[in-house]
């Protein structure tokens, strides 16, 4: 939070919960449009698209096709972090807590690894 506050004081503008509909570069400016406010055009010197990662279980997010239509190459989404809670037996925790998980199978709607 303090990092975002610091950046906002330097002019950072964050548009959370907006759906990117289009972007382009004109005269050294980034032009950005959102579905929620199609009549408004945003112009920036620089843009960072923080659109998330591979947490979509059902299908690829819509913005992927927009980026591809602009000639941008996207890497396949892969999970980069995970959180879980398990009610492990106390005996197992005493022996294994804090040690790496090995020889496990993780399963999602996309398959198993």
């Amino acid at each position: 939070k303090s990092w975002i506050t610091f950046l906002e004081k330097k002019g950072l503008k964050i548009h959370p919960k907006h759906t990117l509909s289009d972007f382009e570069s004109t005269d050294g400016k980034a032009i950005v449009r959102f579905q929620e406010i199609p009549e408004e055009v945003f112009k920036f010197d620089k843009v960072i698209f923080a659109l998330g990662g591979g947490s979509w279980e059902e299908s690829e997010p819509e913005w992927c096709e927009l980026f591809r239509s602009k000639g941008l190459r996207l890497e396949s989404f892969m999970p980069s972090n995970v959180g879980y809670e398990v009610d492990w037996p106390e005996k197992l925790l005493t022996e294994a807590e804090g040690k790496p998980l090995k020889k496990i199978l993780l399963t999602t709607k996309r398959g198993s690894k």
Side-chain angles (χ1 to χ4, degrees):
K1 178 111 175 104
S2 61
W3 181 239
I4 290 173
T5 302
F6 170 79
L7 292 173
E8 286 175 333
K9 287 178 182 177
K10 296 204 171 276
L12 174 73
K13 294 179 185 172
I14 299 176
H15 296 278
K17 299 185 181 183
H18 281 64
T19 305
L20 180 67
S21 62
D22 197 13
F23 67 94
E24 62 186 279
S25 178
T26 305
D27 298 326
K29 295 283 185 184
I31 311 298
V32 179
R33 293 179 183 84
F34 298 106
Q35 287 179 6
E36 291 77 8
I37 40 177
E39 68 283 350
E40 193 162 350
V41 175
F42 295 87
K43 295 181 182 181
F44 303 102
D45 293 326
K46 295 175 178 74
V47 175
I48 296 173
F49 294 107
L51 302 168
S55 60
W56 295 273
E57 285 291 331
E58 298 297 323
S59 63
E60 192 174 70
E62 290 179 23
W63 57 262
C64 291
E65 188 53 40
L66 173 62
F67 277 59
R68 286 188 188 103
S69 74
K70 304 286 186 179
L72 299 171
R73 182 178 59 88
L74 300 178
E75 295 292 330
S76 297
F77 288 112
M78 297 186 67
S80 61
N81 57 27
V82 65
Y84 63 93
E85 289 186 24
V86 177
D87 189 18
W88 296 106
E90 188 63 37
K91 183 179 177 186
L92 177 65
L93 286 176
T94 301
E95 181 181 326
E97 188 170 22
K99 294 182 180 174
L101 299 173
K102 296 182 179 184
K103 297 183 181 180
I104 62 172
L105 177 68
L106 302 175
T107 302
T108 70
K109 293 177 185 175
R110 293 183 185 168
S112 297
K113 291 261 182 191

